[in-house]
Amino acid sequence: MSSSPAQARTSPATLARVAPGGCGTHRPLVHKAFREIARHRHATAPALLACLTDRQARPIAAGHPALPPAVIVELLTDDNWQTVEAAAANPSLPPASMLELVP
């Protein structure tokens, strides 16, 4: 049985919204898709913002230079140390915020 065109175009973000409790066969694919998107050098800011909703992709997305500077600054206070570390190392972190990190 082949997929319909609508199923083939379903984005990971859409799958995540439709099946927030976890859709057995799709949930691992969503996690992997978010991680791959966060790693992609041409990922857009909206795509990276969606990646921040995934626990595993969040630290990867936090280090991406296309992430908006205001979001990077917010991630400096994240609960996950890996996310904080990635945000602090992000080349798009505003210089004023960098100075606040240095003792």
Side-chain angles (χ1 to χ4, degrees):
M1 184 163 99
S2 65
S3 297
S4 72
Q7 288 172 325
R9 291 190 310 260
T10 304
S11 72
T14 300
L15 283 173
R17 284 193 304 273
V18 172
C23 179
T25 59
H26 289 107
R27 201 61 176 159
L29 295 175
V30 171
H31 289 301
K32 183 175 181 178
F34 279 139
R35 289 191 308 270
E36 292 303 317
I37 291 166
R39 285 186 187 103
H40 197 280
R41 66 183 211 163
H42 296 296
T44 63
L48 293 167
L49 292 173
C51 293
L52 291 175
T53 65
D54 182 82
R55 180 181 56 82
Q56 295 175 349
R58 189 175 181 87
I60 302 166
H64 198 290
L67 203 59
V71 175
I72 299 168
V73 171
E74 287 179 33
L75 291 171
L76 294 173
T77 59
D78 197 82
D79 292 335
N80 181 319
W81 69 268
Q82 292 171 318
T83 300
V84 172
E85 188 174 85
N90 190 317
S92 295
L93 181 67
S97 297
M98 286 182 203
L99 290 173
E100 291 177 16
L101 296 174
V102 179

